[in-house]
Amino acid sequence: MADVFDLTIIGSGPGGYVAAIRAAQLGMKVAVVEKWSTLGGTCLNIGCIPSKALLHASEMFEEAGHGFKALGIDIPAPVLNLPQMMTHKTETVAANVGGVDYLFKKNKITTLRGIGTITAPGKVLVTPQSGAATEVETKNIVIATGSVSAGLPGIEIDEKTVVTSTGALLLEKVPGKLLVIGAGVIGLELGSVWARLGAQVTVVEYLDRILPGMDSEVARQFQRMLQKQGMEFKLSSKVAGIDKQDDGSLKVRVEPAKGGDMEMLDADVALVAIGRKPFTEGLGLDIVGVALDERGRVRVDQHYKTSVDGIYAIGDVIAGPMLAHKAEDEGIAVAEILNGQAGHVNYAAIPAVVYTNPEIASVGKTEDELKAEGIDYKIGKFPFTANGRAKAMLATQGFVKILADVETDRVLGAHIVGKNAGEMIHELVVLMEFSGAAEDLARSTHAHPTLSEAVREAALSLGDGAIHI
């Protein structure tokens, strides 16, 4: 190929495609290598976007079946049309993927179909599914290959009855019994989808709590909410094996994490959701000498540069939370850095959301982390049971919790459990981005009646006290 690109990105997920667009906006000649037939990576194709389509649809199904009557809406019991629900998911994915394709064309970004292998600094070999490989010359390379589902030793994934998140989004019927291995974000989100549609869901978690890494008070209260919704939990437990039966069902061997008597659980489908691992296969990193860390992630400096000049990495393939928006921000930052600008990501103010019902959203430090770091903090809390809009919406589950420095009043972290928590968290993200104090938020007028008033009330409670409780 005669073209010499300013930047070649391997992977078109949120990190890769955003980096490409920003680099093109800055006047760079950009190519993106993508092995799949569609752009958007895991997030748009088999992750964030399709799961949110099913989460929303299943919430509507549950609300129609159980929530309408109290609002004075009398309808017959809803009937699940799973093929149509899956069609909605597919159409949602197609619209988002098509949007990225349009943006590439608009920004004159070259798409190269195939597996990208770095053969030397400034050279990427693109191997398509059929036909000859092509070597691309480029001034800089960004690795944005993302992550894949982590597996369990001795457990074979067939994406039919023993599935990852990919297979859980493609089930052709509602399983009678769904066993979820792992009580993290993916397991709880997909578990809740199928629970709402009629599955009996049991979650097995190795640790003694759900949602590792999130605020422990939030996790405890949220587990109770999920149990009221019918989900069962076996904590401090591990899956020792899965045996497929002649009738297609599963026998799952579960043991206490610290050892003890085994029990057998019946399941129709088992979802392995124990986390994700960086995807570096076939990149040729060992050939060019790109260093990895002890967890198989690409090592980078504060400017996303690897151990080899001209090669950079972003997103799930490097250290940090495996979040699409974290990858996007790194994509923008690396494009700006390569253009001589001061690209930057504030890792202390990256929100995280669990898209269950109610949602969980958090930003900054947890109470557990502040205790461990010996930071003197204060807590402001406000329940949605005392919020007028929440009462009107029959959405009184949950609360807002804000953590602030005792001496400076600076907000250090925030956690929301409730309807639309993922939308409400962002005023706290902005506040923290500007190193704001709880008083700043408490003195900001919030429209009435809104769910967001609970955020202000939590901030008020850090000072002279909340008004409505």
Side-chain angles (χ1 to χ4, degrees), residues 230-270:
M231 292 176 69
E232 297 179 13
F233 291 87
K234 291 187 177 295
L235 305 180
S236 301
S237 302
K238 62 181 179 182
V239 171
I242 299 176
D243 300 317
K244 296 181 181 179
Q245 306 301 297
D246 292 339
D247 63 358
S249 65
L250 306 172
K251 292 282 187 183
V252 183
R253 288 170 277 150
V254 178
E255 300 174 352
K258 295 180 180 177
D261 294 336
M262 180 185 72
E263 67 173 313
M264 299 291 287
L265 298 180
D266 295 319
D268 298 295
V269 174

Side-chain angles (χ1 to χ4, degrees), residues 393-429:
M393 295 169 63
L394 302 181
T396 56
Q397 280 189 315
F399 57 92
V400 179
K401 176 179 181 179
I402 300 175
L403 306 168
D405 187 280
V406 166
E407 186 177 347
T408 65
D409 196 40
R410 180 178 176 179
V411 172
L412 305 173
H415 310 273
I416 306 175
V417 182
K419 189 81 169 177
N420 299 338
E423 306 296 337
M424 286 187 281
I425 195 67
H426 294 105
E427 66 172 307
L428 286 151
V429 174

Side-chain angles (χ1 to χ4, degrees), residues 57-77:
S58 62
E59 279 184 35
M60 294 298 98
F61 177 77
E62 183 181 58
E63 195 167 342
H66 303 285
F68 279 9
K69 190 173 183 63
L71 297 172
I73 305 169
D74 291 331
I75 60 171

Side-chain angles (χ1 to χ4, degrees), residues 54 86 159 163-171 190 193-194 269 271:
L54 291 186
M86 290 296 181
E159 299 295 14
V163 301
T164 64
S165 56
T166 303
L169 292 167
L170 295 170
L171 297 179
L190 293 177
V193 166
W194 293 107
V269 174
L271 165 59

